Amino acid sequence: MNRRSFLVATGTSLANAIVARNGRALAAPAPAAHAADLRLRIEPCTLDIGHGVQISTIAYNGQIPGPLLRLKKGKPTTIDVTNSTKNQDLVHWHGLATDSLNDGAVEEGSPLIALGATLRYHLTPNPSGTRWYHTHAMAMGDLSLAAYTGQFGFLLIDGEPDPGRHDKEINLAIHHWGPHFVPMVETMRTQSQNMPQTSGSDVGYTHATINAHMLGAGEPIRVKQGESVLFRLLNASATENVVLALPGHTFRVIAMDGNPVPNPTSVEVLSLAVAERVDALVEMNSPGVWVLGSTLKESRDIGLGVVIEYAGKSGDPVWRDPQPTEWDYTRFAANNPVPDPEETFTLTFRDAGALNGSQFDTWTINGDAWPNVKPLKVKHGKRYRMVFRNASGDQHPIHLHRHSFEVTRIEDQHLSGLIKDTVNVMPLQTVAVDFIADNPGDSLIHCHQQLHMDYGFMQIIKYAD
């Protein structure tokens, strides 16, 4: 059974209100007598991103990004989600330690929302920090669905630790539009070990935005000299990793994926893989009109940027290329010894090529493609290590559902204290992460690039009974 058949079959059974998980039946939530705390509607939307460009897509409550959801850590919250589109869908609460039923992943047993139906999610938000919400539907070969749409929004969980003093908060979500298939870049593919050369497809884009507009469209971000601004940045693209800079300024990185970093550090550029978040403080001490945008000219040319305008300043926004630098997670981490794990799982990622006549490449973990995988078995309360071995020429942002993990090794460099839910594994790189099995229930691991996830790049963790 392929992933499409699996999800259709699973979605049908879930829509009929019964989910089989861990040997017991779970009833899908019945209509509630009381109003939900929050409501979201998945619905068609036409977005004017500027420069005469309109995007027809799917969004939450008709806006992009979706409504800012600001919840309190530990306070139970209900959210009703109504599906006003022609396809089944569901919402994933990325970075929260939810139960499997409410996490929003069919592969874990979460129900799909049928056409015209409303589903109530029950969340007890934890941990605090910058999380986000988005569709977890599949797209396969249809680039009008899933993460290619405008279904994403910020989910901020208030609670300790406090991000510290700042004068203003600005949330910026990056997204790419106009997806289309292009041939794989053969020069990148030849870097992979023992990988067949195929004619698979990748995804290119026509436009990019920060929040709802392309660079130069919409209102600038207005600041005052001397202000300390907390930028929350989210890469909500379906497949594109990004590198950003703000000429004349530095970013003091204080959190990654919503979690405070052990070693807050100032950097000139930020790298965000798909699904990653960075919280950074910027001291506004360089008056002028600037571009906060991609370090790649071709990305800025399609819109990936936003204007930062100081009070009393005017003129054309200025861009200056930053000094070349490599993004390094270890700069923000500690290097204290970490406990030994109960068990280590080595997961090797490979591109198996275009199989069975498909134009798309199949991705495998230890030689298996979803759903034909061997689950990772864990025991409640134990510490486990996953060693991610990227045997391909692509970058892979690996996301673990319902848990956070500690990055403990990048190649031969040991580190500690860097807590994330998504880590970008570079081509031919090895990264180790540790997690505590403290949230029983099925938990998905996958590459967050939509095309990779759709074509096999998923694994499941199951707790021992």
Side-chain angles (χ1 to χ4, degrees), residues 14-19 26-31 101 111 119:
L14 292 172
N16 289 331
I18 296 295
V19 181
L26 292 177
L101 190 66
L119 177 68

Side-chain angles (χ1 to χ4, degrees), residues 236-381:
S237 177
T239 63
E240 291 295 293
N241 299 340
V242 298
V243 180
L244 305 174
L246 174 57
H249 303 77
T250 59
F251 301 94
R252 183 169 177 79
V253 175
I254 61 171
M256 289 184 173
D257 293 351
N259 307 299
V261 299
N263 184 29
T265 300
S266 294
V267 293
E268 193 175 2
V269 300
L270 297 175
S271 178
L272 288 95
V274 173
E276 285 190 308
R277 290 88 67 210
V278 168
D279 293 5
L281 290 169
V282 178
E283 303 301 326
M284 293 300 166
N285 52 18
S286 185
V289 182
W290 303 96
V291 171
L292 191 170
S294 171
T295 58
L296 298 177
K297 182 179 184 302
E298 55 267 35
S299 293
R300 296 195 307 276
D301 287 346
I302 66 169
L304 210 172
V306 63
V307 175
I308 307 291
E309 180 182 282
Y310 278 74
K313 300 298 179 179
S314 60
D316 293 334
V318 174
W319 172 264
R320 290 201 299 258
D321 288 330
Q323 290 296 316
T325 185
E326 290 189 8
W327 182 250
D328 186 355
Y329 286 125
T330 65
R331 296 187 63 182
F332 311 100
N335 58 1
N336 301 317
V338 298
D340 291 332
E342 175 81 6
E343 186 177 352
T344 296
F345 304 109
T346 299
L347 305 178
T348 301
F349 315 141
R350 290 187 189 279
D351 180 352
L355 303 180
N356 302 318
S358 171
Q359 73 178 102
F360 306 107
D361 288 354
T362 296
W363 288 91
T364 62
I365 301 177
N366 293 350
D368 297 328
W370 183 269
N372 301 312
V373 300
K374 304 172 188 69
L376 308 181
K377 297 292 185 68
V378 300
K379 297 178 181 178
H380 185 239

